[in-house]
Amino acid sequence: MWRLIESSAKMNCPAEARLLLPAMIATRTGFAHLEQALVANLVQEKVRHVLADLGTQARYAIDLLVRNLFERTADVGFLATDADLCRFVAGLDHDQAAARQRLHDYRDKYTVYDEILLLDLDGRVLVQHDSASPVSHSADPLLAQTLDTDGYVETFRATDLRPGKARALVYSQRMLHPETGAPAGVLCLCFHFEQELDAIFRAYRDPSQRANMLLLDAQDQVISSADPLWIPAGVRMPTNTGAETRLQMFGGREYLVRTFGSAGYQGYPGPAGWKAQLMMPVDLAFRGHAASALDAVEPALLRGLLSHAEAFSPSLHELMSSVTRTTRTIERIVWNGKVTSAANDHGNAGKLNTVLDQITETGERSDALFSHSIQDLYQTVLASSLSEAGLTAQLLVDMLDRNLYERANDCRWWALSAQLRRGLAQPSDAAHAAIAAVLRHINSLYTVYARLLVYDRGGRIVACTGGDELVGQYIAGDTLSRVSALRSELDHYAEPFGPSAFYGGAATYIYHAAIRHPEHSGTVVGGIGIVFDAAPELLNMLHSGVAGRPNMQAYFVAPDGRVLAGTDDAYPTGAQLQLDGGLLALAADGASASVTRILQHRGQYVIAACSRAVGYREFRAADGVEQPVLAVLLQAFGPVREELPPQAGVRIERLSDSGADYAIFYAGRTLMALRAAHIQEAVPFARVQRTAGNGHPARVGMLDVPLSGGHKHFVWVFDLALLATGRPGAVSDNSQVMLVRQGTATIGLLVDDLHSVQQFDAADMTGSPLGHGELALAPRLIKANQGQLLIQEIDLERLYERLRA
């Protein structure tokens, strides 16, 4: 269409169009470049959206796995010191049934294990948990390695300890003779690896199953696959650990890939070289997304967010600015064309006006097309942010539940410790010292606890870690009654999250289990309380979700909005987090466990995501045992803008084709006019060269005007608003400079914006009440729209006289 308009102008009114053609060609070229930039940005944002989703899932998958395995390293260290099991392995106790029951008890609480074995120094299996897969002897080299190691050994491969399985993840540690301290045997905890990975795959793999989730080893070979029929174990995969925007080829098909290794947890790095990877075929990558992620968002919120495009999407902002500049250029072309037509009427004015009308129509169509495409790009950018925030909130509550699952297990298992049971059943100073020693050993392995404490049936604390100042004090009576009422060793009591004297007055979780008589399990002789080091541990989880993401805050909150922990100093623990739109209530009680919204919060436009904790394995399976928790993500994009009413352009009705032509424009936010015959053209204010000096107060700079023969002529530019109203005009992206002639003299006039070119006759003129006196620049008013609109006509002679004076 632009080329057709150019050709039509050349044929029908070549003289008049001569001045317009360079600007038209530049506009057409600009639209072509905009099209290329827009398509490139659409592709980049769509790809970035997919890669961001894949990366979020991969990063969280490996983080969850490594945090889980860290707990296993502590478990094996504790269980290897269990007094009853050590006596059995050392041959001081021959009750194999009791030892097997002990392993069953442990497995009932830590369901992450599918096998537990005790072996002697020669590799003979003394007792095992899984009777369905019997093992009598092992020749695996991990046994000798474990006996020579002071600590745990992590092994992942095929082993005769797990016959019939292609590989097993085994945590082993030597057990010492209770009397001599010499190695007496080996404990092996076999992690239920496939079950755990299946749970992670289900939770964090793309629900539409367009992507496959993989666990890779240090050689980039597949350890486990969410869809083994698609990608089996053992094959070597291409990886993308650097978030590069490029396609990867596998099996004759192109994929978008994200790969993440673990940064470790509490000093534990995880199995060497393990990585999580998400990969999606490029032919499926852009299907399945909702047509619009923003349909339910209020238009005012969208407009406010879009006003901050420069902050959250510079490329989007640049595209918007480019379209605006091009649209302004078209409007200026048409305005200049109308001025040219009015000043040089050689019988072709009608033809030129037809061309100008086509330029206006095509410009409006082009602007609408680009605006629609930019809106699509805008939605892609925000949809990506919404999706990432939702996934992060889900991960945080999942991470919290997995962590608290371990806490609930720990207190119940440690309550079965023989030293603790005997020490409370037969109290003495020596027994209490032995209890304290056990607690110190446990706390050295499980570093997520601020302190551990054991109390007798009266609630008196007999031993604790983290200092002895609590020994002799009492736990709360309500807590003691709840612990004493626990029905079995599978039950525990979780204190509501809140301030505790056992945690220096700060808020935390404390988990309790009843300690029962060693011979009469129905008799409670006391209890154990484990004080979670909530301040650093909860913040560690939250920071893992927002790390490297600017302007994002994360919180754990109760359903009523009370903050349990947060990365935002404005909301310390115990503060009330208020969110518009009932977001917390929707997540706490709604059909969906996760909700994402765009809303206003504390004077900012934010993307908000909220997810409620739904449990892990058997954790939270029973109502009323655990306190409900929500994770909230808030990503701020900028301050709320004052919503100004849309200003539609003032429309001037065309009365007749007679009379003089007037160029109409805005100056000082007021409609003004000049005889079109005096105007050469309008150019963007950006071309003005600012000058220093003590010249006329209205002079703002100079402008070079091309003349024939390639020469240039410099003219002064003056602020018309300051001259006409006494108040300086505000320079903006819309500001223009009109080149006006008076005889042989040419000057530039800075105006706010251009409006149109219209014809008015003498009947449309009237004197201005503000135009009295020789200094008044607008002695007359133009009555437009049947007198409903008054336009100030600038008297050019008076203007020049004032400048000369």
Side-chain angles (χ1 to χ4, degrees), residues 19-91:
L19 296 176
L20 304 180
L21 285 174
M24 290 173 61
I25 293 171
T27 299
R28 169 170 53 81
T29 304
F31 272 130
H33 291 159
L34 268 175
E35 180 185 22
Q36 295 172 2
L38 180 59
V39 170
N41 273 278
L42 281 169
V43 171
Q44 290 169 7
E45 286 298 336
K46 295 284 188 183
V47 171
R48 194 194 69 80
H49 184 177
V50 173
L51 286 175
D53 277 356
L54 297 180
T56 299
Q57 296 168 63
R59 180 161 66 94
Y60 293 162
I62 193 66
D63 279 354
L64 287 176
L65 180 61
V66 168
R67 285 170 178 262
N68 194 319
L69 299 185
F70 163 76
E71 299 285 350
R72 313 293 64 91
T73 66
D75 286 352
V76 71
F78 169 70
L79 194 57
T81 63
D82 182 273
D84 290 345
L85 295 181
C86 285
R87 288 181 58 81
F88 175 75
V89 170

Side-chain angles (χ1 to χ4, degrees), residues 555-775:
Y555 315 83
F556 287 126
V557 303
D560 62 1
R562 182 170 53 90
V563 174
L564 310 184
T567 59
D568 184 358
D569 292 339
Y571 289 99
T573 298
Q576 201 72 21
L577 180 64
Q578 299 286 351
L579 292 176
D580 293 337
L583 188 71
L584 298 180
L586 282 172
D589 304 320
S592 174
S594 295
V595 181
T596 57
R597 291 284 188 275
I598 295 174
L599 45 83
Q600 295 180 15
H601 177 66
R602 295 179 63 203
Q604 295 272 321
Y605 295 108
V606 301
I607 280 180
C610 186
S611 291
R612 73 169 179 264
V614 295
Y616 170 66
R617 295 181 177 266
E618 63 274 13
F619 185 74
R620 291 194 192 278
D623 291 337
V625 177
E626 303 294 334
Q627 180 183 8
V629 179
L630 305 173
V632 177
L633 261 292
L634 298 177
Q635 183 173 11
F637 287 93
V640 173
R641 309 281 197 191
E642 182 182 356
E643 182 71 11
L644 298 176
Q647 294 184 349
V650 177
R651 183 176 181 83
I652 299 177
E653 299 174 5
R654 187 172 181 177
L655 299 178
S656 66
D657 294 328
S658 63
D661 290 288
Y662 287 85
I664 303 172
F665 49 87
Y666 291 94
R669 298 185 179 182
T670 302
L671 269 182
M672 297 183 182
L674 266 172
R675 291 287 293 268
H678 295 296
I679 297 179
Q680 180 177 325
E681 66 173 324
V683 298
F685 177 76
R687 285 177 48 182
V688 172
Q689 301 176 39
R690 298 296 186 114
T691 57
N694 298 320
H696 195 286
R699 195 170 70 190
V700 295
M702 64 171 57
L703 185 68
D704 60 299
V705 180
L707 301 175
S708 59
H711 301 292
K712 289 185 177 181
H713 172 59
F714 288 92
V715 301
W716 291 115
V717 178
F718 299 90
D719 183 350
L720 180 57
L722 181 58
L723 291 168
T725 68
R727 298 184 302 273
V731 176
S732 70
D733 293 339
N734 296 332
S735 297
Q736 309 285 330
V737 175
M738 301 187 307
L739 295 174
V740 298
R741 298 182 299 268
Q742 174 69 6
T744 60
T746 302
I747 62 171
L749 293 178
L750 167 64
V751 298
D752 298 343
D753 204 353
L754 306 175
H755 186 279
S756 62
V757 177
Q758 303 285 345
Q759 289 182 322
F760 298 99
D761 55 29
D764 298 317
M765 304 298 173
T766 186
S768 171
L770 303 176
H772 300 297
E774 296 179 357
L775 297 179

Side-chain angles (χ1 to χ4, degrees), residues 132-353:
S133 181
V135 180
S136 59
H137 184 273
S138 174
D140 196 305
L142 76 83
L143 300 177
Q145 180 186 359
T146 302
L147 289 170
D148 291 338
T149 302
D150 185 14
Y152 73 90
V153 173
E154 185 179 64
T155 306
F156 181 70
R157 53 173 169 75
T159 173
D160 58 7
L161 293 167
R162 298 298 285 142
K165 299 192 72 170
R167 70 275 173 94
L169 181 57
V170 180
Y171 290 86
S172 56
Q173 187 152 331
R174 67 188 182 189
M175 305 178 73
L176 304 181
H177 195 290
E179 297 175 356
T180 66
V186 173
L187 165 70
C188 293
L189 297 180
C190 300
F191 182 61
H192 205 330
F193 180 73
E194 291 80 5
Q195 184 187 71
E196 177 62 17
L197 279 181
D198 285 346
I200 292 175
F201 288 159
R202 284 194 305 271
Y204 292 99
R205 183 190 177 191
D206 175 26
S208 65
Q209 299 187 359
R210 295 171 298 148
N212 200 0
M213 179 178 278
L214 310 169
L215 180 66
L216 308 180
D217 63 15
Q219 288 72 46
D220 298 334
Q221 291 184 327
V222 177
I223 298 173
S224 190
S225 169
D227 190 341
L229 295 179
W230 181 354
I231 300 175
V235 298
R236 188 180 181 88
M237 302 301 298
T239 61
N240 181 16
T241 56
E244 298 177 23
T245 307
R246 58 187 175 89
L247 295 175
Q248 302 275 15
M249 182 69 73
F250 172 74
R253 199 174 187 186
E254 290 181 311
Y255 289 84
L256 288 169
V257 177
R258 285 299 305 273
T259 314
F260 269 92
S262 173
Y265 177 64
Q266 296 276 6
Y268 168 68
W274 279 21
K275 301 174 286 288
Q277 176 161 301
L278 265 289
M279 50 195 305
M280 182 179 289
V282 71
D283 53 308
L284 301 179
F286 309 103
R287 302 180 188 176
H289 291 294
S292 173
L294 309 175
D295 285 343
V297 183
E298 295 180 8
L301 279 177
L302 287 182
R303 288 192 297 271
L305 261 179
L306 190 57
S307 70
H308 293 287
E310 186 174 12
F312 67 84
S313 179
S315 59
L316 172 60
H317 173 74
E318 179 56 33
L319 277 172
M320 293 166 55
S321 300
S322 297
V323 171
T324 300
R325 288 194 297 268
T326 304
T327 301
R328 304 299 300 168
T329 299
I330 294 171
E331 293 172 351
R332 188 171 55 253
I333 289 173
V334 173
W335 194 88
N336 284 336
K338 297 284 188 179
V339 167
T340 301
S341 175
N344 303 289
D345 189 358
H346 301 298
N348 287 328
K351 296 178 180 179
L352 179 58
N353 284 330

